[in-house]
């Protein structure tokens, strides 16, 4: 079954750390780019939210009854997971068996990919595509970077008539592998009096989360104290008697994460 990554969200800076934790699949010899068509940029003035991705998952999994879907959804500044990159997705009849599928927010039959929000979405896509191609050890060329419309089984113009292959290849080639870029400001990004690396911040479930242990260690709490207090009971996490309502276990980082606002309340 697919859909394992629904709920994960990355920035172009944090994204490469995720595939680095999993083994590249041998079946993936290309990356296929799509546009959503609907929703368009105009229909998502602030990009995607976690709820939008949950709705998309429900559509593919329940309404369509599919076992999988595209792997990744991209908006102006974030990358939203859906299906695990090691497993085959469903997005283009002729390419599903050999290609990772990425969906770009917008309708590029109508909307402009070369300026404003359209360009932001395609730059973000180029960075993700570059990171995935590096991970898969694929060169960037017209055989490895496919458009949905390259599939002889479709009559669709996807990813939009205004998007041309040479332009996208240039964009991907010029996408620096972002590593230490600052995380884009979110209106509610809290300030902490401890320093945590960029890859220890994630905007997930509509709020900023950090690893519980890393935060507490920075606050001077002893490792043994953390181990004695941080407990999982069923699907709930506790620190001592206190329920951590927003905590979750993240398999790739082997760490329990929680919203910043909860941890600051727990140990200021
Ligand atoms: Zn498509």
């Amino acid at each position: 079954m697919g859909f394992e990554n629904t709920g994960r969200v990355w920035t172009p800076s944090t994204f490469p750390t995720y595939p680095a934790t999993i083994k590249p699949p041998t079946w993936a010899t290309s990356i296929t780019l799509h546009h959503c068509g609907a929703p368009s940029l105009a229909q998502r003035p602030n990009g995607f939210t976690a709820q939008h991705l949950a709705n998309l998952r429900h559509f593919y999994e329940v309404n369509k009854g599919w076992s999988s879907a595209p792997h990744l959804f991209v908006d102006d500044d974030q990358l939203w997971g859906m299906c695990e990159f090691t497993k085959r997705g469903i997005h283009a009849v002729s390419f599903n068996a050999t290609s990772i599928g990425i969906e770009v927010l917008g309708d590029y039959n109508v909307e402009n990919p070369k300026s404003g929000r359209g360009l932001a979405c395609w730059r973000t896509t180029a960075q993700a595509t570059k990171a995935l191609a590096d991970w898969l050890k694929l060169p960037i060329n017209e055989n490895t970077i496919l458009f949905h419309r390259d599939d002889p089984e479709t009559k669709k113009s996807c990813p939009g008539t205004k998007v041309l292959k040479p332009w996208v290849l240039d964009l991907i080639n010029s996408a620096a592998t972002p590593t230490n870029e600052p995380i884009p400001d979110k209106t509610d990004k809290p300030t902490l009096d401890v320093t945590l690396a960029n890859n220890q911040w994630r905007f997930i479930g509509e709020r900023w989360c950090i690893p519980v242990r890393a935060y507490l260690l920075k606050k001077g709490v002893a490792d043994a104290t953390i181990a004695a207090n941080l407990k999982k009971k069923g699907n709930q996490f506790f620190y001592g008697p206190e329920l951590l309502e927003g905590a979750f276990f993240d398999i790739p980082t082997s760490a329990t994460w929680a919203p910043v606002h909860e941890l600051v309340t727990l140990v200021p």
Side-chain angles (χ1 to χ4, degrees):
M1 276 295 171
F3 307 105
E4 301 89 341
N5 286 346
T6 318
R8 290 185 188 280
V9 56
W10 303 277
T11 66
S13 312
T14 62
F15 179 66
T17 63
Y18 178 69
T21 64
I22 48 179
K23 196 169 179 286
T26 52
W27 58 261
T29 54
S30 64
I31 296 165
T32 301
L33 303 179
H34 303 255
H35 70 155
C36 291
S40 63
L41 293 170
Q43 288 169 324
R44 293 281 179 268
N46 300 309
F48 289 124
T49 64
Q51 184 62 53
H52 293 142
L53 268 291
N55 296 345
L56 283 165
R57 174 187 176 155
H58 188 271
F59 168 73
Y60 287 113
E61 191 174 28
V62 179
N63 299 114
K64 292 175 79 77
W66 287 3
S67 59
S68 189
H71 293 88
L72 191 68
F73 288 76
V74 184
D75 64 15
D76 312 44
D77 57 357
Q78 289 183 306
L79 308 158
W80 300 81
M82 184 163 289
C83 296
E84 185 55 271
F85 299 108
T86 54
K87 299 181 186 173
R88 288 181 170 91
I90 299 179
H91 53 93
V93 175
S94 303
F95 302 151
N96 287 332
T98 53
S99 200
I100 285 177
I102 301 180
E103 294 276 345
V104 187
L105 175 63
D107 177 355
Y108 299 101
N109 289 326
V110 179
E111 293 173 313
N112 187 354
K114 295 192 177 175
S115 72
R117 293 189 59 211
L119 182 57
C121 289
W122 280 95
R123 281 214 168 110
T124 305
T125 302
Q127 288 175 306
T129 305
K130 177 80 162 58
L132 287 170
D134 287 350
W135 174 60
L136 294 167
K137 299 197 165 40
L138 298 177
I140 304 297
N141 60 49
E142 59 188 24
N143 300 315
T144 58
I145 307 301
L146 302 175
F147 283 178
H148 187 182
R149 65 174 177 253
D150 296 335
D151 181 349
E153 296 298 320
T154 190
K155 291 189 171 66
K156 290 175 184 166
S157 59
C158 182
T161 51
K162 290 174 187 278
V163 178
L164 301 178
K165 186 73 73 80
W167 177 75
V168 169
L169 294 180
D170 280 351
L171 208 59
I172 296 168
N173 277 319
S174 64
T177 307
T179 46
N180 294 314
E181 212 175 90
I183 291 176
D185 279 343
K186 292 277 171 186
T187 48
D188 59 345
K189 187 180 176 191
T191 48
L192 279 185
D193 64 352
V194 296
T195 309
L196 289 172
N198 280 349
N199 64 6
Q200 295 193 310
W201 285 89
R202 282 191 202 162
F203 191 71
I204 190 162
E206 291 299 288
R207 58 215 162 163
W208 286 102
C209 297
I210 53 179
V212 177
R213 182 169 167 271
Y215 170 75
L216 293 174
L217 285 173
K218 291 266 187 181
K219 296 304 283 188
V221 181
D223 209 4
T225 309
I226 298 168
N229 281 282
L230 185 60
K231 297 289 178 198
K232 183 172 189 279
K233 294 172 191 163
N235 282 325
Q236 297 186 323
F237 287 90
F238 291 82
Y239 191 77
E242 190 88 50
L243 173 67
L244 296 174
E245 292 166 61
F248 60 97
F249 187 75
D250 177 64
I251 294 167
T253 56
S254 297
T256 304
W257 291 59
V260 173
H261 76 92
E262 252 194 297
L263 293 178
V264 169
T265 310
L266 193 69
V267 178

